[in-house]
Each structure stands twice: as C-alpha cells, then as structure tokens.
C-alpha cells in the first residue's frame, strides 16, 4: 500500500523555500524529518560556481549524521524557461540506517518535492558516502540516470518500488521469512497454537524501539465471544488481531480465521506507516512458514473496536448475495406470430 505519510513542511521551512527560490544567495540546504514535519537542518550560501561549491557544501551535510537519511536540495547556476534557478534533489538513505527511517524518508519524498515546487531538474538517490560528491553526480548524469519528468502515476509507482526495495534490502534478522521486522519466538509459538486450534484469539504489536513484531496477548483459557471482541481492541495503539470466528451458516458449523488490523487516528504517523507496511508480509509469512501454515480467510481494517459487530463479521465471511430480478421478455414481433411464414406482398 503504498501509503502517504501526511508529513508537511514547517512554517519556517515553507518561508525558507520561497526565499531560496527567489534569492541568488542560497546554494544548498539540508532537510530532515523531526516531530513529523520537514524542517530546515542547515544551509550554505553561494561561494563560487555550482561545481566549485558542490563538495564543500554537500559532503559536510552528509557527514553530519552519516547513518541517518536526509534530503539535500542543491541549487545549480542554470535557469529554466521562466528564469527560475534549477535544483538537484539528493535523497540520501544510507544502507546502515534504521528500517523505520528508511521507510519514513522513502514514503515522504513525494511530499517534500511537492512542498518545494516544480524547480527540480535532477533527482538522485544515494546510499553510500562515495556517491554524494561531484564525481558521483557526474557519473549519475553520464550513465543517463537522470529520468525525464514523471507523471503522477509513474512517480507513485516508482516510490512504491523504492520503498519496497529499501525494506527488502534491510533483511530479516529472524522470525518469519519475508516479514520486514523479526517476529519474536513468543509470537511464533502463539501463532502455532492458533493454527493447531489450541487458542482462538491472539494479538500482536510492533515494538518500534526494538523493531520487532511481538505477542501482546493470547487467551489460552477463555473463549472470546464475538460480542466481546470489540472490548479487546486498544483505543490508543495499533494491533494485529487474529481471531478464530466460530459460527453457524446454513446449518453448518464453520470456523474462519480473521485478521483484524486496527490503528486509531491518535497513533503517530510513524506507527501508522509501520503497521501498514508490515501487515501484508506478516499475513504471507504465517501462511508460508512450514511450522505455522496459518491461512487467513478474511482480513479487516478498523479504527475503533466499536466497529466490530457480529453482523459485520458474518457479512465479511458470507457476503450477502444480490438477488437479480429476471428481465421481462419482450414479446416476439409480428413476423413470428403464429409460427408461419410471412405472406408475400404482390406489387402492382
């Protein structure tokens, strides 16, 4: 899914963007994400030509926090057809950055471009310090890596591809194959018990500080009634709830595994983004792991536990069938009445 983070520029940065686009003084600026907003971390003014200023301006910005992503806007000396200075957007995402920062900066790139405006001539991705220099920029141009302007659809597709690659390249230190965050052993054991029918209800949560998916709660003793399911959903935290929904349908007893992804609007942007990104890999992982093999029959996304009425669960598993009325048949035309051949008309 691919998802937008909702991060916007601070008031100070909006004003600085406007001034820097009109002024001939600013050469380079470093933008970071702090408290769920784009902020101006640092900037330098013009000293010489754009080639002369490149390494003295850009390299120190990257070395400032070499393990943390950032956006660097660098002003060229060339101008567009409307006499506006053209800029380079350098998106620096180091290989050793934490997964949550990789995902956050990859998902927010389109937003910071939108806030800056249509003045970017080249957009460059870098994951190593050696790429963030004048020589690296020239290699980027020589290789023909500077693409033409993308449509909104192409840009969104490229953003999703880059975000998925960043998550995949980060690896998985343990747990289930394909899941971006490792799943703890206690969570895996509970999932195995759910698959074996030893438990009907469990909840998982993302430990953001440890970057793991862990077990929040599993009811090994009591049967969770569908009517009480709404009371199990936290009001201020994200959760993955897996529930064995036992019910009757047309006289048969049926058991269905439901995956309920709950996240409230009170959760931070980072938390909402992490839960959204890890959801599909988790569902795939518990299905393909040979020690679990838990197939999710239906999935549901909610904001509040009050949405979980039993009628909703039943309709989710057994969608209502639309009854289509048979169309009224048009009577046959005069030529076919009585079943005989038409009488020839004699012309005079």
């Amino acid at each position: 899914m691919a998802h937008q983070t909702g991060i916007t520029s601070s008031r100070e940065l909006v004003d600085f963007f406007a001034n820097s686009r009109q002024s001939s003084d600013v050469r380079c600026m470093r933008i970071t994400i702090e408290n769920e907003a784009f902020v101006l971390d640092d900037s330098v003014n013009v000293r010489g030509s754009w080639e002369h200023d490149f390494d003295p301006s850009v390299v120190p910005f990257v070395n400032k926090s070499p393990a943390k992503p950032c956006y660097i806007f660098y002003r060229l000396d060339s101008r567009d057809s409307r006499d506006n200075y053209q800029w380079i957007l350098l998106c620096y995402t180091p290989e050793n950055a934490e997964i949550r920062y990789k995902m956050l900066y990859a998902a927010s790139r389109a937003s910071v471009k939108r806030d800056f405006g249509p003045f970017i001539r080249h957009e460059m991705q870098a994951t190593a310090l050696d790429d963030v220099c004048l020589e690296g920029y020239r290699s980027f141009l020589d290789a023909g890596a500077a693409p033409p302007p993308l449509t909104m659809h192409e840009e969104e597709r490229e953003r999703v591809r880059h975000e998925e690659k960043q998550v995949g390249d980060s690896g998985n230190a343990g747990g289930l194959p394909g899941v971006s965050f490792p799943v703890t052993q206690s969570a895996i054991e509970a999932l195995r018990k759910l698959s074996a029918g030893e438990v009907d209800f469990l909840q998982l949560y993302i430990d953001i500080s440890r970057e793991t998916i862990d077990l929040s709660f599993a009811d090994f003793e009591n049967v969770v009634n569908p009517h009480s399911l709404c009371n199990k959903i936290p009001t201020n935290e994200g959760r993955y709830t897996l529930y064995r929904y036992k019910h009757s349908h047309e006289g048969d007893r049926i058991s269905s595994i439901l995956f309920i992804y709950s996240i409230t609007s009170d959760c931070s942007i980072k938390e909402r983004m992490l839960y959204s990104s890890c959801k599909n890999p988790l569902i795939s992982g518990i299905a393909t792991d040979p020690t679990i093999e838990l197939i999710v029959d239906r999935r549901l996304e909610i904001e509040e536990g009050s949405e979980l009425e039993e009628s909703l669960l039943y309709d989710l598993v057994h969608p209502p069938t639309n009854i289509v009325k048979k169309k009224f048949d048009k009577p046959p035309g005069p030529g076919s009445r009585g079943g005989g051949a038409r009488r020839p008309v004699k012309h005079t």
Side-chain angles (χ1 to χ4, degrees):
M1 117 90 90
H3 48 274
Q4 294 289 335
T5 60
I7 294 177
T8 58
S9 298
S10 64
R11 184 69 258 173
E12 177 188 6
L13 181 59
V14 171
D15 294 339
F16 190 84
F17 274 164
N19 294 332
S20 63
R21 291 194 299 264
Q22 299 173 0
S23 171
S24 59
D25 296 333
V26 177
R27 174 64 77 189
C28 185
M29 65 185 87
R30 183 178 190 268
I31 309 301
T32 58
I33 298 175
E34 305 292 342
N35 297 322
E36 301 181 0
F38 300 121
V39 297
L40 175 66
D41 180 75
D42 203 352
S43 67
V44 295
N45 288 339
V46 173
R47 301 185 184 94
S49 67
W50 76 268
E51 293 172 305
H52 176 272
D53 290 348
F54 199 98
D55 286 350
S57 301
V58 174
V59 174
F61 278 176
V62 176
N63 287 329
K64 191 174 183 180
S65 298
K68 187 175 179 180
C70 65
Y71 306 113
I72 296 176
F73 287 85
Y74 188 83
R75 204 211 77 191
L76 300 170
D77 293 335
S78 59
R79 297 175 181 261
D80 61 19
S81 59
R82 298 186 178 182
D83 204 34
N84 296 307
Y85 280 110
Q86 296 179 313
W87 294 73
I88 302 168
L89 171 57
L90 196 157
C91 304
Y92 176 62
T93 309
E95 295 285 355
N96 59 340
E98 295 183 24
I99 295 176
R100 63 177 181 269
Y101 288 129
K102 288 185 178 183
M103 297 170 63
L104 180 63
Y105 276 78
S108 304
R109 177 170 57 88
S111 297
V112 76
K113 284 177 58 181
R114 178 200 62 211
D115 289 354
F116 183 76
F119 308 100
I120 297 172
R121 180 176 179 180
H122 294 147
E123 185 174 343
M124 178 178 169
Q125 299 281 346
T127 58
L129 293 174
D130 294 342
D131 298 332
V132 190
C133 59
L134 180 59
E135 182 180 353
Y137 176 63
R138 283 174 171 163
S139 297
F140 166 79
L141 296 179
D142 292 341
L150 301 177
T151 65
M152 292 183 63
H153 176 71
E154 291 171 335
E155 185 172 311
E156 178 69 10
R157 184 174 57 188
E158 178 66 17
R159 185 187 69 77
V160 172
R161 184 200 64 78
H162 179 71
E163 180 181 340
E164 290 176 346
K165 182 177 184 300
Q166 291 288 354
V167 175
D169 289 346
S170 302
N172 182 22
L176 302 178
V179 180
S180 53
F181 280 1
V183 180
T184 64
Q185 192 59 36
S186 60
I188 291 177
E189 289 298 329
L191 287 165
R192 289 171 180 164
K193 291 182 181 296
L194 179 65
S195 180
E198 300 177 25
V199 63
D200 293 338
F201 176 91
L202 65 84
Q203 285 183 327
L204 306 175
Y205 76 101
I206 295 179
D207 188 327
I208 298 178
S209 61
R210 295 171 54 202
E211 297 187 353
T212 59
I213 298 177
D214 206 347
L215 178 66
S216 172
F217 175 76
D219 200 327
F220 295 98
E221 299 179 357
N222 303 310
V223 176
V224 177
N225 190 289
H227 296 290
S228 62
L229 190 61
C230 59
N231 300 322
K232 303 288 186 180
I233 305 300
T235 58
N236 58 352
E237 294 179 312
R239 283 293 185 273
Y240 299 132
T241 300
L242 288 108
Y243 177 59
R244 187 186 307 278
Y245 175 42
K246 298 178 180 179
H247 59 286
S248 297
H249 177 66
E250 296 181 350
D252 297 325
R253 291 294 297 171
I254 297 176
S255 176
S256 304
I257 298 296
L258 307 183
F259 184 96
I260 304 169
Y261 158 49
S262 58
I263 193 81
T264 69
S265 57
D266 294 333
C267 294
S268 67
I269 293 175
K270 181 184 298 184
E271 185 175 0
R272 295 201 300 269
M273 184 186 66
L274 290 175
Y275 273 89
S276 177
S277 299
C278 293
K279 173 185 57 176
N280 289 338
L282 176 62
I283 293 175
S284 176
I286 63 179
T288 56
D289 186 283
T291 67
I292 300 177
E293 294 183 340
L294 181 62
I295 305 299
V296 171
D297 296 304
R298 292 289 187 273
R299 60 181 71 181
L300 178 65
E301 180 176 341
I302 61 172
E303 289 190 4
E304 299 179 354
S306 59
E307 300 176 43
L308 289 178
E309 299 179 355
E310 185 173 8
S311 59
L312 175 65
L313 303 183
Y314 186 88
D315 289 344
L316 179 68
V317 178
H318 308 286
T321 302
N322 292 326
I323 300 176
V324 180
K325 294 183 179 180
K326 184 179 179 180
K327 293 184 178 180
F328 178 73
D329 292 332
K330 184 177 180 181
S336 59
R337 289 175 181 172
R342 297 184 65 182
R343 185 174 62 183
V345 178
K346 183 178 179 180
H347 297 278
T348 58

